[in-house]
Amino acid sequence: TIVLYYGDRWDGPKSIGDMLDADTDLKSSGYLQNYRINLIEVNNMSDEELDRFKTDVKQVFKFIRNRKDKEKMSGIIEKDPYYSNVEKTAHDMMAVYGGLRGYKINEADYRSEGGGINMCKAWDDWREDGRNEGRKEGREAERINTERERRRAEKAEAETQKAEEKVKKAEAETQKAEEKVKKAEAETQKAEAEIKRLRERVAQLEAAGM
C-alpha cells in the first residue's frame, strides 16, 4: 500500500511503532513487526526523487508540487513537451490535486494531435481566465466601494442638511424670542409713560387744591 500525501508536511505516524507509546513493552519485546507505511509526500519531493519515476507520474507530481508557484509552473510546462499531450487520467489528477480553482474545460477544445489534452494551452487559458476574473472582481470591488462612498456622502449630506435645518429653526426661535422681548420692553416703556403721566396729573390736581 502506498500513501500519497498532498498536504504541506506529514505529521502523523509512519510505522506501527510510531503509533505506540515509547515505554510500551510490546515495542521493546522484539515481537513487534514494525511495518512502515510507504509514504510519498508529493509537495516535499526533490527533483532527484521525481526523476526516479519513468512514467507520467513524474510530471503529475511535479505539477502538484509546484502548483502554488504559478510562474515556476508555467516555465516547467513550457519546457517539458509532455504537457502538450497529457493523457486524460493524468490531466484530471493534475486538475483535482493541483488546486486549479475554477478550472473547467471543454476537452475537445484542447485535444492535441497525439489524442491527449494540450495542458500548455489549457494552463495558459486558465491563468488568463483567472486574470480576467481578478480584473472583474477588482472592478466589482471598485464599484462596491464607489457605491459605499456615494451612500456615505449622501448620508453625510442629509445629516448636514438636517443639522442646518435645526440651526435655522433655532435661529428662528431666537429671533421670535427677541421680538417678544422687544415687545415686552415696548409695553413696559408704554406703561411707565402712562404711570408718569398719571403722576403728573395727580400732582397738577394737588397743586390746584382739588
Side-chain angles (χ1 to χ4, degrees):
T1 302
I2 296 178
V3 177
L4 296 178
Y5 182 66
Y6 300 100
D8 292 331
R9 180 69 64 179
W10 176 271
D11 58 359
K14 295 183 179 180
S15 67
I16 293 178
D18 290 343
M19 299 173 67
L20 301 175
D21 294 334
D23 58 350
T24 182
D25 292 337
L26 183 60
K27 194 168 186 179
S28 59
S29 65
Y31 293 104
L32 175 68
Q33 294 295 324
N34 193 24
Y35 294 108
R36 302 187 64 83
I37 61 172
N38 295 310
L39 175 67
I40 297 179
E41 296 184 69
V42 178
N43 287 326
N44 298 305
M45 297 182 72
S46 64
D47 289 337
E48 291 74 16
E49 290 173 324
L50 287 172
D51 287 338
R52 296 175 187 173
F53 297 99
K54 303 304 178 184
T55 64
D56 56 3
V57 171
K58 177 174 72 173
Q59 282 83 3
V60 172
F61 283 178
K62 185 175 289 188
F63 184 94
I64 296 171
R65 185 193 67 177
N66 295 289
R67 69 188 184 279
K68 294 182 180 180
D69 190 337
K70 300 298 186 293
E71 296 303 324
K72 185 176 182 179
M73 193 65 248
S74 294
I76 292 173
I77 290 177
E78 291 174 2
K79 293 177 182 179
D80 192 336
Y82 164 81
Y83 292 101
S84 63
N85 183 37
V86 179
E87 292 185 3
K88 185 180 184 318
T89 53
H91 164 270
D92 292 347
M93 189 172 182
M94 285 189 282
V96 172
Y97 293 102
L100 305 187
R101 184 173 63 88
Y103 178 82
K104 188 176 182 180
I105 67 169
N106 181 0
E107 293 180 10
D109 295 337
Y110 296 92
R111 189 69 62 190
S112 65
E113 294 181 359
I117 297 174
N118 188 337
M119 196 68 184
C120 300
K121 187 175 185 301
W123 171 265
D124 290 340
D125 289 352
W126 173 75
R127 292 202 69 190
E128 184 60 28
D129 289 344
R131 295 188 188 98
N132 292 334
E133 184 65 23
R135 297 187 190 103
K136 182 180 178 181
E137 290 176 354
R139 289 192 296 270
E140 179 63 15
E142 183 177 359
R143 185 193 67 79
I144 292 174
N145 289 333
T146 300
E147 180 64 17
R148 186 181 293 115
E149 291 300 322
R150 183 186 66 80
R151 291 180 180 178
R152 287 177 179 173
E154 289 179 350
K155 183 178 179 180
E157 184 177 355
E159 291 177 348
T160 300
Q161 185 175 358
K162 188 176 181 180
E164 290 176 349
E165 290 174 354
K166 288 183 178 180
V167 170
K168 288 180 180 179
K169 184 178 179 180
E171 290 177 346
E173 291 176 349
T174 300
Q175 184 176 359
K176 188 176 180 179
E178 290 175 349
E179 290 175 354
K180 287 183 178 180
V181 170
K182 289 181 180 179
K183 184 177 180 181
E185 289 176 347
E187 291 177 349
T188 299
Q189 290 178 355
K190 185 177 179 181
E192 289 176 348
E194 181 64 19
I195 292 171
K196 182 179 180 181
R197 186 185 69 79
L198 291 172
R199 286 177 178 173
E200 290 176 350
R201 179 60 179 166
V202 170
Q204 289 176 357
L205 292 173
E206 290 178 346
M210 297 180 64

